[in-house]
Structure formats: C-alpha cells, structure tokens
Amino acid sequence: MSQMPQHELSACPGCAEPVEAVDRFCGGCGHDLAAVPAMAAPEPDRPTVAIGTPVAWPEPPSREPGSLSTATQHPGDLPGTDSGGRDLPTVPVRTDGLPAAASALSGPEAVGGDFTLAAPDPRAAAPQALAPSTATPPAGTKLCVACRAGAVDSDGYCENCGHAQPRERDHMEEELSTVAAVSDRGLRHHRNEDAFAVSATALPDGSPATLAIVCDGVSSATRPDEASAAAARAAGQSLLTALPRGAHPQQAMHEAIVAAAEAVNSLAEEPGKDGAEQDPHRHQNAPACTIVGAVVADGLLIVGWVGDSRAYWVPDDRTSPPARLTQDDSWAAQMVAAGLMNEAEAYADERAHAITGWLGADAYELEPHTAAFKPDRPGVVVVCTDGLWNYAEAAVDMARVVPADAAGRPLHGAQVLVGHALDGGGHDNVTVALLPFTLSPQGAGSA
C-alpha cells in the first residue's frame, strides 16, 4: 500500500510553525514542505593557485595587409604535450571536409569526401527509445493535471510522472441557472476547510426555490474539513426535503441548521473508541464549523446562520443602499452590541474573530438565527465565509467589489469575489455563493 510522503522537519522553514512528518504543507503559512531541499554536504574548497612559471604562448598568425582577420590557425599548428609530458603527434588538417588521415580510404566509406556509417550488426539488440507511454487509460480514469497521460492513484499522485495532484477541494465551482458558488483554499492554508451546497427545487405550487449553504470549518478543532462538508451536505438535503412539502422557508432554514448540527455532532468520537469512555472531556476539540444559508422562494429572502459567516444584500441598482443580513456570533460583535467598543475598535482587536457560536459537540448551546426579508427591488445575495468578508467587511465595501452584472452572471461574479480575496492576500479559505433575487409580480409592491 502506498504511504504518505514523509520528511524529517520538526518546524516549517518558512514560519517556524511546528509540523508533523506526514504534513505536506505548513498549516501556518502554507509552505510546501515536500519542496524543502535536502541538506547537501558542503563542496570542498577549491582555492585558486597561481601559476609559478611563465607560459610561452605561440605567436599569433600573421595578417594580410588590409585584411580584418588573421589567417586560419589549426590545432595541429600548435605543439603540445599530453598529461604524461609526451609530445602530441602533429596531425595535418584538411579544409575540404575530409581529415587527411582518411584520404587513403577507398570504397564507399570515402564516397563524396564523407564517411558512410557501417550497417548495424543484426545480432545486436537495438536500444529502445525512451518515450512516454501512449496507452489510453480506462474510461473514467482521473488523468494527471501535469502530463495529462497518467492515471492518478489513491494517494493523489500520477502513476506516470509522479506529480502530486491538487486536492479536489482546493478549488471548487458549481453553477446552476439561479445560483453559483466558488470555494478556494487560499494562499496560506494547507487545505480547504470550507464547504458549500447549492441547489434548486420547487414549492408545492410549482414556483421555484433556490438555496445556498456555506460552512467554514473551525481550524482549531479536529477534522474541520469534514465538519464543514457534513454540515453543508446535511443542511442542503434538509432544505430540499422540507421546501417541496410546503414547509415555511424560515422554518425550513431553522430545521436545516439543526440537521447540520446533528451531522457535525456525529463526527465526535463515540464512547468505546480509543478509550474515550474514560475521558470526561471526550468532546473537547470536537469537529466544528460555522454555517450560513440563504433561500430565495415565493418573493421571500430567508437567511440563517450560526457563527461568523455572513450574508449580504446588494441591489442591482447601486444607488440603493446594500445591507448586511446577519450578525456575527463573535467576540467583536458582542463588544459592539454591549456598547463597550465601536465596530472599528472591536474588529481591530486580536480577539475579534473568536467565535461564540458554532456547530459541534462541544458547542455551548445551539441557537440557530433566522431572518426573513421581502426585498422591493432586484438584487443579489452574497453568502460567504470570513475569508471573503475580511477583505470587504462593510456592506458598501462588499457592494463595491460585486460585479454590476452579478445577477445575470453569478458564477463569474463569485469568481471575481474569490479573486478579490486572493489579491488581498488570501490569508484564509475563501467561499462565496451568489443568489440572484428577481422581483416576482406578487411581490412588486412589497417593502
């Protein structure tokens, strides 16, 4: 069975963050640990030694008067000795393309003043040319992104050229007719701990309903990537079950967050595994994530969240004000709500992003937040993790970076937003979903 590549580093050479032997990337700065060169033995010193005796260089050939170049000088014109001090033989050199030593040859070997190679001995095995395999991999085989010829093994390496393949979650995109989402590992993290789920369904009366769920794994917890994936999958499936059967979208969102929490809780170690039944703190550092979701259905815009992932409203008419639709479960938000700090002061503090609400077995108490809106104009809903809103925190900043045609081209808009975060430094995983909101006739007069 193939094993994970290992190294002998105890700390990242880029940022000194402690690393383990099986880590491919540094969790602090994203440094490729496999690319660290092995320590090579220093080369021996080779000091320059001065020549003790003068060298008798031969006189240069004479030059014809009025000529810009000297006469041709051939190797045989200069005397020399071999490494044993013996005189080198003087070989006359011809200028007609045939060495003088070969002028005595006769037969086909000397035809036209050139050599003809002898026919190869049929008893000698001809060497096989080194060429990449041209065998076509079986249908459905994942091909290497580097050589585009080799199959990728279960460990993520090409069987042809050995190139390590990017993990599937390093960059993900999905587009439907009414929603699109993009997720990227970012520039500093060694893996993508975000996840999303986007889908479309219909209400009992046949009217369309669109949903987007975005989850952000808590990096300080164990298996945060599994937590976010489980939460997004469970919440999305819950909404797809509840909405077609006629559940109110806001109630359906609440139930979806509860289902997501149960899915994350199930990832915590069960009693009896690895002696966990003896540990009174077995849920400590359990898998955890945040969640934010949005549903557009029947002229309503429903949002739900736990943690610090956010949803924004950006109207198509940019002269109308945008709005942030969620309130963070975080230390900074608590300070602002209590009147102890203004928003600028709170988010400048190093404790700003410490979350006070999350999904996970060690959460204090599950308190899903939901809110319903009825916009009176078309626009787009931005559902994202803090990997994006850290670079466009205020609603006006977010509206400024959302492309003007995002409602008509949601995938392009999501790509632009992820690019904005990466251009800003990409310090975190970045995930964003865009849901266009079109004004339905029955909601035309709503406020």
Side-chain angles (χ1 to χ4, degrees):
M1 186 172 88
S2 299
Q3 296 185 356
M4 298 284 287
Q6 302 206 0
H7 53 79
E8 299 180 358
L9 298 174
S10 60
C12 172
C15 66
E17 179 79 9
V19 296
E20 297 179 2
V22 297
D23 287 342
R24 295 183 184 179
F25 299 88
C26 172
C29 67
H31 189 89
D32 187 354
L33 302 176
V36 177
M39 295 299 292
E43 293 190 7
D45 187 21
R46 295 190 179 94
T48 301
V49 179
I51 298 177
T53 57
V55 178
W57 297 106
E59 292 295 327
S62 60
R63 188 175 67 182
E64 294 293 334
S67 174
L68 297 178
S69 61
T70 60
T72 303
Q73 191 174 57
H74 301 289
D77 297 339
L78 302 177
T81 59
D82 61 15
S83 58
R86 296 179 293 272
D87 291 338
L88 292 174
T90 302
V91 179
V93 177
R94 290 179 47 161
T95 59
D96 58 0
L98 182 65
S103 59
L105 292 176
S106 61
E109 292 86 352
V111 174
D114 202 358
F115 286 105
T116 301
L117 295 177
D121 189 342
R123 295 169 296 178
Q128 295 182 352
L130 297 177
S133 174
T134 57
T136 303
T141 301
K142 183 178 180 181
L143 296 180
C144 172
V145 300
C147 69
R148 304 302 302 170
V152 178
D153 64 18
S154 58
D155 287 342
Y157 289 83
C158 176
E159 295 176 345
N160 181 51
C161 69
H163 188 89
Q165 307 299 296
R167 285 167 289 193
E168 182 180 0
R169 289 181 63 174
D170 281 358
H171 185 89
M172 301 178 292
E173 297 185 0
E174 187 170 350
E175 180 184 27
L176 304 177
S177 60
T178 54
V179 63
V182 177
S183 182
D184 192 272
R185 177 170 61 91
L187 305 179
R188 302 296 183 90
H189 281 246
H190 70 289
R191 65 182 173 188
N192 190 357
E193 297 169 358
D194 288 357
F196 66 80
V198 294
S199 192
T201 186
L203 302 181
D205 62 0
S207 58
T210 305
L211 62 97
I213 300 292
V214 168
C215 298
D216 184 355
V218 177
S219 295
S220 59
T222 58
R223 295 145 57 202
D225 53 331
E226 296 181 30
S228 61
R233 183 168 52 250
Q237 188 57 51
S238 177
L239 287 169
L240 286 177
T241 301
L243 292 173
R245 71 166 186 251
H248 189 279
Q250 191 167 359
Q251 179 62 31
M253 178 62 75
H254 184 278
E255 294 173 359
I257 295 176
V258 173
E262 293 173 351
V264 178
N265 291 349
S266 68
L267 297 178
E269 289 183 345
E270 296 298 332
K273 183 179 180 182
D274 299 330
E277 71 277 13
Q278 306 297 332
D279 184 2
H281 305 292
R282 68 181 184 87
H283 280 164
Q284 184 176 357
N285 204 35
C289 70
T290 67
I291 186 172
V292 62
V295 172
V296 172
D298 196 25
L300 292 176
L301 167 56
I302 308 298
V303 295
W305 73 96
V306 173
D308 63 348
S309 293
R310 295 180 177 181
Y312 292 83
W313 164 255
V314 179
D316 288 348
D317 180 5
R318 298 304 170 83
T319 61
S320 300
R324 196 175 95 194
L325 306 178
T326 58
Q327 295 294 326
D328 299 344
D329 290 320
S330 68
W331 180 91
Q334 285 189 344
M335 294 297 102
V336 174
L340 300 177
M341 291 183 177
N342 61 41
E343 193 164 293
E345 294 171 337
Y347 281 99
D349 193 282
E350 61 181 9
R351 297 165 290 181
H353 290 276
I355 56 175
T356 58
W358 62 89
L359 306 184
D362 59 355
Y364 301 121
E365 184 178 356
L366 178 62
E367 296 183 4
H369 311 291
T370 62
F373 304 90
K374 202 165 188 180
D376 62 353
R377 63 204 67 198
V380 64
V381 185
V382 181
V383 184
C384 64
T385 61
D386 60 345
L388 171 61
W389 66 252
N390 276 330
Y391 299 98
E393 186 173 335
V396 291
D397 296 330
M398 184 64 71
R400 189 177 300 115
V401 296
V402 172
D405 61 351
R409 302 171 63 198
L411 178 59
H412 173 260
Q415 293 168 336
V416 169
L417 291 175
V418 169
H420 174 75
L422 298 180
D423 290 343
H427 286 71
D428 200 353
N429 306 146
V430 189
T431 302
V432 57
L434 293 185
L435 293 87
F437 181 91
T438 56
L439 199 63
S440 58
Q442 60 266 33
S446 302

